[in-house]
Amino acid sequence: MASFNRVILIGNLTSDPDLQYTSSGTAKVKFSIAVNRKYKDSSGQMQEDVTFVPITVWGGQAENIATYLSKGRSVMVEGRLRISNYEKDGEKRKFTEVVAQTVQFLGSKDKPAAPTNEEVPF
């Protein structure tokens, strides 16, 4: 049975990245991005929907992200979707995140850039 797990998102960091190291010394950074969607509702009024997506990045790229990215910066994230099951207070829960393979910095710290058609591989 074939399977495919690939996510591509463009959004803005909602907070500064949180860099940590595993006991073996591997860098791990976590951050979230806000992905906005604008649409017209059934009455023709413009609406905006925001989805907050947790991102995890490993290795040298994690250290670069912690060094160069901060809240508000635009990024394009490519990776895979991961859903973890866990139990808290006797209740079963799920946690969804994107484990990034590539994080491309967009714009500058002071001026986030809107992606052009050339920047988005669709």
Side-chain angles (χ1 to χ4, degrees):
M1 181 164 119
S3 64
F4 185 74
N5 184 352
R6 179 59 125 202
V7 175
I8 301 173
L9 299 168
I10 294 176
N12 297 323
L13 273 72
T14 61
S15 62
D16 291 339
D18 178 27
L19 178 65
Q20 299 178 352
Y21 290 90
T22 65
S23 57
S24 63
T26 303
K28 174 184 177 180
V29 73
K30 290 188 171 218
F31 60 94
S32 289
I33 62 173
V35 179
N36 300 317
R37 178 177 77 99
K38 292 183 181 181
Y39 63 96
K40 287 186 180 179
D41 63 16
S42 59
S43 65
Q45 297 295 314
M46 286 301 295
Q47 300 291 325
E48 185 170 6
D49 180 41
V50 181
T51 301
F52 300 96
V53 182
I55 310 290
T56 300
V57 186
W58 293 89
Q61 188 173 205
E63 293 175 319
N64 287 336
I65 288 167
T67 300
Y68 297 109
L69 290 182
S70 59
K71 181 179 179 177
R73 279 293 299 269
S74 294
V75 293
M76 182 174 82
V77 176
E78 292 183 68
R80 63 183 171 85
L81 189 63
R82 180 175 165 208
I83 302 172
S84 303
N85 296 307
Y86 67 98
E87 193 170 316
K88 182 176 180 182
D89 300 328
E91 185 177 325
K92 292 183 179 182
R93 298 179 182 220
K94 291 186 178 191
F95 178 74
T96 303
E97 68 180 335
V98 172
V99 179
Q101 294 171 320
T102 304
V103 177
Q104 183 175 345
F105 303 1
L106 303 175
S108 66
K109 183 176 182 181
D110 299 324
K111 182 181 174 190
T116 64
N117 288 339
E118 293 81 36
E119 293 174 323
V120 182
F122 295 110

